[in-house]
Amino acid sequence: MLVATQGAPPPETEMLVVAERMKRLKLETRTDRRTGVARCVMTRRSGDPVFDALMCDAVLACAKTVTTRPAMEACLAPTLEGHALDLAARRAAALKN
């Protein structure tokens, strides 16, 4: 899971990209009654397989400790910010080349 490591917030452009991906993405968790294993089920993908996998991992991790939507949003916030920072770093590296 990505976590923000810098003190500065990610650039606005990357936050908008992440917000657009979040608007498209729809997923839920399901738990097998027999085994107790939770899994992520995508009902609509964001268009970015890396982002989709990141969000599934984050939602499954958060689902172990949270039970309300606001708590889930708070739990996912560092992952989303970390992804935006990663996008900004990749964009900066691409512009250097």
Side-chain angles (χ1 to χ4, degrees):
M1 184 180 322
L2 293 175
V3 178
T5 57
Q6 299 173 349
E12 187 174 324
T13 304
E14 279 70 18
M15 287 304 292
L16 290 174
V17 168
V18 171
E20 284 299 316
R21 289 179 183 162
M22 282 299 297
K23 280 181 12 184
R24 290 190 297 261
L25 182 65
K26 290 197 181 209
L27 55 88
E28 58 189 53
T29 60
R30 293 193 184 149
T31 304
D32 185 307
R33 290 182 200 178
R34 287 178 283 147
T35 64
V37 175
R39 64 186 172 97
C40 180
V41 177
M42 298 225 182
T43 56
R44 187 170 67 199
R45 298 184 181 273
S46 72
D48 179 352
V50 172
F51 182 74
D52 293 350
L54 174 75
M55 291 311 299
C56 265
D57 291 345
V59 166
L60 287 172
C62 291
K64 293 176 183 176
T65 59
V66 302
T67 57
T68 65
R69 185 182 184 116
M72 179 63 79
E73 290 171 357
C75 184
L76 293 175
T79 300
L80 294 171
E81 186 173 331
H83 185 66
L85 287 169
D86 184 51
L87 285 175
R90 283 191 275 154
R91 185 176 305 226
L95 291 174
K96 282 184 181 179
N97 296 331

